[in-house]
Structures are given as structure tokens and as C-alpha cells.
Amino acid sequence: MLVKNLPASSPGPAAGTLPGTDLSQNAAVLSKLISYVGQITPNEGLDESKLPLLWMLYVQLIHTGCQEGNAPVQSLNILLSHLNGFISYKPSWQLLSAIGLKKQTIVSNKCRLLCKSLVSFILTQLPERIEGEPESPTMSSQYIRQQSGAPGHLTSNSSDLVPSPEALKSVSQLEQLASDKNYNDLKPQLELALQCIRDPNYSMANCHHFVIKLAKRLYIEGYIYIFVFFDGD
């Protein structure tokens, strides 16, 4: 498994770059990542601290697809479904776990916070058109915010693009974690996530920055720090 076997000392790609610049190669890598994501579920042997590396590459490849005119919404929906699987995961009661012969699989609050934050971030980049507004040929499909200050953000005053109800609900649920005692020790990370999500300068273009920036606040594993984006961290 890609995530499980990633060595802690393996060299990463150059700062902010993809494994390759060939578009067909990037598309092939994304196709493999989609397959991997479909196989990764909470389990006893999963090192969740390596998941951000997978998600970072996934969203960066999707952004590349956006730039080349591909339709990445389906790929984003696959990722959102994958993330929601970790958020909603509840371990089933097992006899071996109950008597101590097998470890119970859990999803840590760190992982849940990262998943919830990434879901909110992505949904914020998928605004919807105001009902009744005519669609132009270039806006007939899902609009994706791909650059700083793009319309449709939470703070945008765009006349034709607004945050979707799903995005508003997701951000609201994320904000509510501030009063959840289970996340008391993660308040600085939560505040960082909300700060980035509310910032209109963030878009799918720097979603990978967001993933690693937050992961570096949540996990101490060294391989996360091989990804340096010169953002002052």
C-alpha cells in the first residue's frame, strides 16, 4: 500500500512540484491515486500520519487537471467521500478487541480534524450559481475556484456565484468543534484551518499547501517536513 509503505526518510519532490511535468503521466498518477483512495479505510495497520501526503498529491494533481481543462469534479467527489468515511467511522464491537487480543481500530481526533478541515476547504472552492442566473457556455459545469480572489468564496460579494449550502454547513460544523471538549487540545490547529478556509486568497491552486500546513501542526513525523513550500512555516 502506497501510504503504509512510504519510508520516513524517502526524498520528496521539489517544493510545490509534481512528480512529473508530463500531463499524461500526471493523469496516470491521479488515476492510481483514485484507486488507492478507494482501498484505504481505517484499519489497525494504517499509519494515519502518512495520509496527508497522499491527499496533498491528490489535490495538486486535480488542480493541474483544472488548468488543462479536464473535469476534476468527479475526482474531488471521490476524495470527499473518502474523507467523510474517516470522519464518520465508528469501530464495530469485536470479541477479540473486547478481551484484549486485538487492537481496536480508531480514527484519532487529529485525523478527524484534518479530514473535516479538508472537506470544508474543498467545498468552499465549489460555489454554486445564484438561482435564476443564466449559465454561460463556460459556466455550464461546476465552477472551481482556482486562483486567489476568485468569486464565490465565503467572503465574496459576487453577483452570480455564492457558497453552496453544503459548504456553509461544513464550515459551520467545523466552527462548532471549538466548543467540543474532545478537541480542546487541538484548538490552535482548528483556528489555523478556519483562518485558511476563510481567506479568499486560498483556492484549489494552493489546497496542497493547506493540507501540509495543517498536517505539520498535527503530526510530528519527520517525513511531513520534506515538503517545504516557502510559506514561512
Side-chain angles (χ1 to χ4, degrees):
M1 187 71 69
L2 174 67
V3 175
K4 184 176 179 180
N5 295 328
L6 180 66
S9 59
S10 63
T17 63
L18 291 168
T21 56
D22 181 79
L23 297 179
S24 61
Q25 179 184 357
N26 289 342
V29 173
L30 179 57
S31 178
K32 289 183 179 180
L33 286 180
I34 291 173
S35 176
Y36 283 133
V37 161
Q39 300 173 40
I40 297 175
T41 58
N43 64 76
E44 181 184 342
L46 180 66
D47 183 352
E48 67 176 41
S49 67
K50 293 181 179 178
L51 289 172
L53 307 182
L54 176 69
W55 298 336
M56 178 213 66
L57 181 58
Y58 194 112
V59 296
Q60 194 172 12
L61 287 167
I62 285 179
H63 173 60
T64 301
C66 289
Q67 292 177 306
E68 297 306 318
N70 296 330
V73 175
Q74 183 177 0
S75 299
L76 279 175
N77 286 335
I78 291 172
L79 178 59
L80 289 171
S81 177
H82 164 74
L83 294 169
N84 282 319
F86 276 83
I87 293 170
S88 61
Y89 176 78
K90 294 182 180 179
S92 58
W93 186 89
Q94 294 181 352
L95 178 60
L96 293 180
S97 298
I99 62 178
L101 294 180
K102 183 179 179 180
K103 291 183 179 179
Q104 184 79 299
T105 299
I106 62 171
V107 176
S108 74
N109 286 337
K110 289 182 179 181
C111 186
R112 291 185 194 274
L113 175 59
L114 182 56
C115 290
K116 289 173 183 283
S117 299
L118 184 51
V119 166
S120 293
F121 185 100
I122 292 174
L123 290 175
T124 301
Q125 315 315 319
L126 302 174
E128 62 180 26
R129 293 185 65 80
I130 296 176
E131 187 175 355
E133 288 288 331
E135 290 186 347
S136 67
T138 58
M139 293 291 290
S140 58
S141 58
Q142 172 66 59
Y143 176 78
I144 300 177
R145 299 185 68 256
Q146 300 179 53
Q147 59 186 11
S148 173
H153 186 260
L154 297 173
T155 60
S156 173
N157 57 1
S158 170
S159 60
D160 60 354
L161 286 167
V162 295
S164 69
E166 292 81 7
L168 295 175
K169 179 180 179 181
S170 180
V171 173
S172 175
Q173 291 175 338
L174 188 63
E175 292 171 337
Q176 291 172 19
L177 294 183
S179 58
D180 188 331
K181 63 181 181 180
N182 294 316
Y183 291 84
N184 279 345
D185 59 338
L186 298 176
K187 282 188 176 181
Q189 293 88 338
L190 173 60
E191 291 173 359
L192 172 64
L194 288 170
Q195 177 185 351
C196 294
I197 291 169
R198 293 166 179 159
D199 186 348
N201 292 316
Y202 275 89
S203 68
M204 283 307 300
N206 47 20
C207 182
H208 57 293
H209 289 237
F210 171 75
V211 174
I212 293 301
K213 189 171 189 175
L214 185 54
K216 286 163 64 176
R217 301 298 198 284
L218 291 167
Y219 300 104
I220 61 173
E221 282 72 10
Y223 42 77
I224 291 178
Y225 291 83
I226 65 177
F227 294 91
V228 181
F229 296 107
F230 305 106
D231 57 1
D233 291 349

